[in-house]
Amino acid sequence: MSRKEKTDSRNKITLIILLICISAYSQYDEFVVKAVYLEKFTRFITWPERSDFNNQDSVFTISVIGKTPITQKLNEIYTNYLIKNKKVVILELAASDSIPETDLLFIGNVKAKELDQILASIAGRPVLTLSDSPGFGRKGVIINFLYTDDKISFEINKEVADQSGLTISYLLLKEATRIY
Protein backbone atom coordinates (compact mmCIF):
# COMPACT_ATOMS: atom_id res chain seq x y z
CA MET A 1 0.00 0.00 0.00
CA SER A 2 1.45 3.38 -0.99
CA ARG A 3 1.89 6.25 1.45
CA LYS A 4 -1.00 8.16 -0.17
CA GLU A 5 -3.30 5.13 0.14
CA LYS A 6 -2.35 4.73 3.81
CA THR A 7 -3.04 8.41 4.44
CA ASP A 8 -6.39 8.23 2.60
CA SER A 9 -7.29 5.13 4.61
CA ARG A 10 -6.47 6.86 7.91
CA ASN A 11 -8.42 9.94 6.85
CA LYS A 12 -11.46 7.80 5.95
CA ILE A 13 -11.32 6.12 9.36
CA THR A 14 -11.03 9.52 11.07
CA LEU A 15 -13.99 10.81 9.07
CA ILE A 16 -16.10 7.77 9.99
CA ILE A 17 -15.28 8.29 13.66
CA LEU A 18 -16.10 11.98 13.29
CA LEU A 19 -19.50 11.19 11.79
CA ILE A 20 -20.25 8.65 14.53
CA CYS A 21 -19.30 11.19 17.17
CA ILE A 22 -21.48 13.82 15.54
CA SER A 23 -24.48 11.49 15.68
CA ALA A 24 -23.79 10.63 19.30
CA TYR A 25 -23.19 14.22 20.38
CA SER A 26 -26.12 15.70 18.49
CA GLN A 27 -28.25 14.98 21.54
CA TYR A 28 -25.84 16.92 23.76
CA ASP A 29 -24.54 20.48 23.88
CA GLU A 30 -24.59 21.81 20.34
CA PHE A 31 -21.65 24.14 21.00
CA VAL A 32 -19.45 21.39 22.43
CA VAL A 33 -20.05 19.41 19.24
CA LYS A 34 -19.20 22.41 17.08
CA ALA A 35 -16.05 23.14 19.08
CA VAL A 36 -14.88 19.55 18.64
CA TYR A 37 -15.75 19.70 14.94
CA LEU A 38 -13.27 22.54 14.45
CA GLU A 39 -10.30 20.34 15.22
CA LYS A 40 -11.67 17.47 13.16
CA PHE A 41 -12.11 19.77 10.15
CA THR A 42 -8.46 20.82 10.33
CA ARG A 43 -7.43 17.21 9.69
CA PHE A 44 -9.00 17.43 6.24
CA ILE A 45 -7.73 20.87 5.29
CA THR A 46 -4.27 21.81 4.09
CA TRP A 47 -2.97 25.33 4.58
CA PRO A 48 -0.59 26.70 1.98
CA GLU A 49 3.10 26.53 2.72
CA ARG A 50 4.30 29.46 4.74
CA SER A 51 7.30 29.94 6.94
CA ASP A 52 5.67 29.63 10.36
CA PHE A 53 2.81 27.19 9.76
CA ASN A 54 5.11 24.16 9.67
CA ASN A 55 7.11 25.47 12.60
CA GLN A 56 6.14 23.36 15.62
CA ASP A 57 6.93 26.28 17.93
CA SER A 58 4.22 28.43 16.37
CA VAL A 59 0.66 28.32 17.66
CA PHE A 60 -2.65 27.50 15.98
CA THR A 61 -4.77 30.61 16.39
CA ILE A 62 -8.55 30.49 16.55
CA SER A 63 -10.23 33.89 16.48
CA VAL A 64 -13.89 34.32 17.36
CA ILE A 65 -15.81 37.35 16.20
CA GLY A 66 -19.39 38.17 17.23
CA LYS A 67 -21.42 36.91 20.13
CA THR A 68 -21.55 33.11 20.41
CA PRO A 69 -21.54 30.54 23.21
CA ILE A 70 -18.85 28.60 21.33
CA THR A 71 -16.11 30.87 22.72
CA GLN A 72 -16.46 29.41 26.22
CA LYS A 73 -16.46 25.85 24.85
CA LEU A 74 -13.36 26.52 22.77
CA ASN A 75 -11.54 27.83 25.82
CA GLU A 76 -12.61 24.81 27.89
CA ILE A 77 -11.64 22.23 25.27
CA TYR A 78 -8.47 23.66 23.73
CA THR A 79 -6.65 24.85 26.83
CA ASN A 80 -4.62 21.63 26.90
CA TYR A 81 -5.28 20.28 23.42
CA LEU A 82 -3.26 20.58 20.22
CA ILE A 83 -4.47 21.30 16.69
CA LYS A 84 -2.11 20.39 13.84
CA ASN A 85 0.41 19.48 16.60
CA LYS A 86 0.40 23.06 17.86
CA LYS A 87 -0.69 24.77 21.04
CA VAL A 88 -4.02 26.55 20.54
CA VAL A 89 -4.61 30.21 21.26
CA ILE A 90 -8.18 31.58 21.30
CA LEU A 91 -8.73 35.27 20.56
CA GLU A 92 -12.05 37.05 21.11
CA LEU A 93 -12.60 39.91 18.69
CA ALA A 94 -15.26 42.56 18.29
CA ALA A 95 -16.78 42.92 14.82
CA SER A 96 -15.10 46.32 14.51
CA ASP A 97 -11.61 44.94 15.30
CA SER A 98 -9.09 44.40 12.57
CA ILE A 99 -8.45 40.69 12.20
CA PRO A 100 -4.93 39.66 13.15
CA GLU A 101 -3.03 36.72 11.67
CA THR A 102 -5.21 33.73 12.44
CA ASP A 103 -5.57 30.18 11.19
CA LEU A 104 -9.27 29.80 11.88
CA LEU A 105 -11.96 32.44 12.26
CA PHE A 106 -15.31 31.52 13.80
CA ILE A 107 -17.91 34.13 12.90
CA GLY A 108 -20.71 34.26 15.44
CA ASN A 109 -23.85 36.32 15.42
CA VAL A 110 -23.09 39.29 13.19
CA LYS A 111 -25.21 41.35 10.82
CA ALA A 112 -24.97 40.83 7.05
CA LYS A 113 -23.11 44.12 6.55
CA GLU A 114 -20.58 43.17 9.24
CA LEU A 115 -20.14 39.75 7.63
CA ASP A 116 -19.34 41.38 4.30
CA GLN A 117 -16.73 43.62 5.96
CA ILE A 118 -15.16 40.70 7.86
CA LEU A 119 -14.91 38.52 4.77
CA ALA A 120 -13.51 41.40 2.69
CA SER A 121 -10.82 42.05 5.32
CA ILE A 122 -9.49 38.48 5.09
CA ALA A 123 -10.10 37.85 1.38
CA GLY A 124 -7.23 35.91 -0.14
CA ARG A 125 -5.66 35.13 3.25
CA PRO A 126 -5.29 31.46 4.27
CA VAL A 127 -7.94 31.64 7.00
CA LEU A 128 -10.48 28.85 7.52
CA THR A 129 -13.77 30.61 8.25
CA LEU A 130 -16.59 28.87 10.09
CA SER A 131 -20.02 29.96 11.22
CA ASP A 132 -23.36 28.60 12.29
CA SER A 133 -25.63 31.24 10.81
CA PRO A 134 -28.18 30.50 8.08
CA GLY A 135 -27.03 31.64 4.65
CA PHE A 136 -23.43 32.41 5.66
CA GLY A 137 -22.02 29.54 3.55
CA ARG A 138 -23.54 31.01 0.43
CA LYS A 139 -22.26 34.47 1.42
CA GLY A 140 -18.62 33.34 1.68
CA VAL A 141 -17.95 31.50 4.93
CA ILE A 142 -15.93 28.38 4.06
CA ILE A 143 -17.66 25.96 6.46
CA ASN A 144 -21.09 26.78 7.82
CA PHE A 145 -22.84 24.57 10.37
CA LEU A 146 -26.46 23.68 9.75
CA TYR A 147 -28.79 22.53 12.51
CA THR A 148 -31.94 20.80 11.36
CA ASP A 149 -34.08 18.08 12.90
CA ASP A 150 -31.78 17.94 15.96
CA LYS A 151 -28.79 17.11 13.76
CA ILE A 152 -25.68 19.10 12.99
CA SER A 153 -24.38 19.06 9.45
CA PHE A 154 -22.36 21.50 7.41
CA GLU A 155 -22.04 23.18 4.05
CA ILE A 156 -18.78 24.15 2.33
CA ASN A 157 -17.96 27.10 0.13
CA LYS A 158 -15.17 25.48 -1.90
CA GLU A 159 -14.76 28.49 -4.19
CA VAL A 160 -13.80 30.74 -1.26
CA ALA A 161 -11.52 28.02 0.17
CA ASP A 162 -9.71 27.81 -3.16
CA GLN A 163 -9.36 31.61 -3.32
CA SER A 164 -7.83 31.65 0.17
CA GLY A 165 -5.29 28.96 -0.69
CA LEU A 166 -6.83 26.25 1.48
CA THR A 167 -7.20 22.74 0.10
CA ILE A 168 -10.15 20.70 1.34
CA SER A 169 -9.93 16.91 1.17
CA TYR A 170 -12.47 15.18 -1.03
CA LEU A 171 -13.38 13.08 2.03
CA LEU A 172 -14.69 16.17 3.81
CA LEU A 173 -16.32 17.57 0.68
CA LYS A 174 -18.36 14.44 0.12
CA GLU A 175 -19.79 14.66 3.66
CA ALA A 176 -21.02 18.25 3.22
CA THR A 177 -24.74 18.80 2.85
CA ARG A 178 -24.11 21.49 0.22
CA ILE A 179 -21.07 22.71 -1.70
CA TYR A 180 -20.84 26.16 -3.27
Side-chain angles (χ1 to χ4, degrees), residues 4-180:
K4 182 177 177 358
E5 290 172 328
K6 286 180 185 177
T7 301
D8 282 352
S9 179
R10 274 187 292 219
N11 284 341
K12 285 179 185 176
I13 291 169
T14 302
L15 189 59
I16 290 168
I17 292 169
L18 170 66
L19 295 173
I20 291 169
C21 290
I22 291 165
S23 297
Y25 279 112
S26 64
Q27 299 171 15
Y28 298 100
D29 186 331
E30 166 187 356
F31 294 99
V32 170
V33 175
K34 291 175 182 177
V36 171
Y37 249 123
L38 299 186
E39 186 276 333
K40 303 301 182 204
F41 286 144
T42 66
R43 295 179 187 199
F44 299 94
I45 296 175
T46 305
W47 274 256
E49 291 296 322
R50 59 176 208 222
S51 58
D52 67 333
F53 195 80
N54 293 320
N55 177 356
Q56 293 304 315
D57 294 330
S58 67
V59 295
F60 189 93
T61 306
I62 299 174
S63 298
V64 180
I65 203 163
K67 296 203 183 298
T68 174
I70 201 168
T71 307
Q72 178 187 353
K73 302 303 179 188
L74 291 170
N75 282 313
E76 290 171 10
I77 293 169
Y78 295 108
T79 299
N80 297 310
Y81 197 78
L82 302 177
I83 294 180
K84 295 279 196 183
N85 294 319
K86 298 173 182 230
K87 183 179 187 258
V88 178
V89 173
I90 314 280
L91 302 176
E92 292 182 65
L93 307 172
S96 61
D97 291 346
S98 64
I99 299 169
E101 288 299 314
T102 191
D103 299 299
L104 190 151
L105 175 64
F106 190 93
I107 303 169
N109 189 13
V110 298
K111 296 177 181 164
K113 185 177 181 180
E114 291 172 319
L115 175 66
D116 293 341
Q117 292 171 342
I118 292 165
L119 295 175
S121 73
I122 60 167
R125 289 172 47 190
V127 176
L128 174 61
T129 53
L130 288 101
S131 187
D132 58 0
S133 297
F136 278 22
R138 185 176 298 117
K139 291 180 181 180
V141 171
I142 295 173
I143 298 177
N144 190 46
F145 289 108
L146 306 170
Y147 192 73
T148 52
D149 300 326
D150 295 329
K151 292 185 182 175
I152 297 173
S153 60
F154 58 93
E155 57 189 359
I156 295 177
N157 192 318
K158 186 174 180 321
E159 181 179 344
V160 174
D162 292 344
Q163 291 168 359
S164 66
L166 300 175
T167 304
I168 301 175
S169 166
Y170 72 94
L171 295 169
L172 187 59
L173 289 170
K174 74 180 201 174
E175 296 304 323
T177 303
R178 275 185 233 118
I179 299 175
Y180 300 104

